[in-house]
Amino acid sequence: MRRSDICLYLGPADRAELQALLSNRNTPRKLAWRADIVLATADGQGTIEIMRRTGMSKPTVWRWQERFLDEGVPGLKRDKTRPSRVPPLPREVRLKVIAKTVQETPPNATHWSRTTMADAVGISPSSVGRIWADAGLKPHLTKGFKVSNDPMFEEKVTEIVGLYLDPPDRAVVLCVDEKSQIQALDRTQPGLPLKKGRGASMTHDYKRHGTTTLFAALDVKSGLVIGDCMPRHRAKEFLSFLRRIDRAVKKPRDIHLVLDNYATHKTPEVQAWLEKHPRFKLHFTPTSASWLNLVERFFAEITSKRIRRGSYSSVDDLEGAIYDYLLQHNAKPKPFVWSKTAEDILTRERRALDALDQIRGNR
């Protein structure tokens, strides 16, 4: 059988799909003429007529007739992959880029960029970017960390995480801390409002109208927050806040307080008061581990949602905004759920210490 005598049968579903592709204005042009080739062939038209109708060459008409016979309509919708005109980088070059990225720094910078690495290795910046993406390397980013050197780290973590995951019966677990030196900042000019294509804006300069300190106690179980704003954060103010907690939590329930190691929490006056109120039981977070205190998560939320982008003409104005946020938060409280076990945290801590010891040993 000669090539020009090819016979092709179209089922009703395939014909309807090809005709829909051909009549749709949004169909890519190459897919439209492929569908036209197949429809014309099924209608009995010869190769010369199909070439005239579609404007395609004879090899092209034959190619897509064969593709339809082999793969049907799905075969018309995709192009076969072709090898890149650019030869792939040798494995040695890729390994060299990765090694320099993790083991060296450029002579005039603290980290590599695509351009500086490309100049150092002799390849294009886009090739460097692809190598970094494949290897999961992001030299432009840095992440902070702090490993606690508290000798009682394991005991304190186990104790506090145990309070979060398995709180004692007939007791309240409160995470307590102070957010100090909150500034009442008044912008020098009104900012531009939010609009399509542009975010809200505010001036970078401001006027200071004083500061306040937010004392907060977060109930781990319910998410309720006991809060009070005071001008300073001394032992005197901390004692006043403890008395407020004592009034707020009904007796005889025990009160477990999770605190940091701030000296204000350990003064003789505070110790004397706690001896007279034995239902208060203090649990101190390890040094350099304030992230273990859940109230820090609440401080992050009130800062981002209410304080940071506000404009306050006085300390009273600022405190009013804080109290309003506390009121609305407590109307619909939502607890922060602690998910990591003590063993998860301790495993990561040991891994970090081992890595630091290895780095120190290589110096």
Side-chain angles (χ1 to χ4, degrees), residues 21-178:
L21 289 172
L22 192 61
S23 61
N24 189 344
R25 290 192 205 174
N26 295 322
T27 301
R29 183 175 179 274
K30 62 182 181 180
L31 182 54
W33 58 253
R34 292 172 190 174
D36 201 9
I37 288 174
V38 175
L39 287 170
T41 305
D43 292 340
Q45 297 184 14
T47 303
I48 300 301
E49 175 60 22
I50 296 174
M51 291 169 56
R52 184 196 63 76
R53 175 171 164 175
T54 61
M56 296 294 119
S57 65
K58 185 182 296 184
T60 301
V61 172
W62 289 349
R63 181 187 312 122
W64 291 103
Q65 287 172 339
E66 289 181 359
R67 179 74 68 84
F68 179 81
L69 289 173
D70 293 339
E71 303 179 28
V73 176
L76 303 179
K77 295 181 178 180
R78 62 174 182 81
D79 295 316
K80 288 193 173 180
T81 56
R82 299 178 178 87
S84 173
R85 292 177 297 175
V86 181
L89 290 173
R91 183 171 181 271
E92 294 75 16
V93 175
R94 299 173 62 84
L95 293 177
K96 183 178 180 180
V97 170
I98 294 173
K100 288 180 74 68
T101 303
V102 300
Q103 297 174 4
E104 304 175 21
T105 57
N108 62 341
T110 59
H111 59 281
W112 293 100
S113 67
R114 297 201 318 170
T115 303
T116 55
M117 180 60 75
D119 292 340
V121 181
I123 59 178
S124 67
S126 58
S127 296
V128 174
R130 285 192 292 270
I131 294 172
W132 281 348
D134 292 341
L137 297 175
K138 300 178 181 180
H140 63 290
L141 298 179
T142 182
K143 189 175 182 180
F145 76 99
K146 179 68 175 179
V147 179
S148 174
N149 57 2
D150 194 321
M152 301 288 291
F153 181 81
E154 292 194 11
E155 291 83 350
K156 291 180 178 179
V157 167
T158 303
E159 179 182 342
I160 293 174
V161 173
L163 289 173
Y164 292 161
L165 299 181
D166 187 20
D169 295 333
R170 300 185 61 80
V172 177
V173 180
L174 300 178
C175 295
V176 177
D177 202 0
E178 307 93 11

Side-chain angles (χ1 to χ4, degrees), residues 190-205:
L192 297 175
L194 176 71
K195 64 177 293 186
K196 182 179 180 181
R198 186 190 70 195
S201 64
M202 59 183 181
T203 60
H204 67 276
D205 52 342

Side-chain angles (χ1 to χ4, degrees), residues 33 37 66 68 93 99 111 118 121 128 134 139 152 189 209 215 220 222 238 253 288 294 313-316 319:
W33 58 253
I37 288 174
E66 289 181 359
F68 179 81
V93 175
H111 59 281
V121 181
V128 174
D134 292 341
M152 301 288 291
Q189 297 175 357
H209 294 287
F215 285 78
V220 173
S222 67
F238 181 60
R253 301 175 72 185
S288 305
L294 271 179
S313 58
S314 65
V315 173
D316 289 341
E319 291 182 349

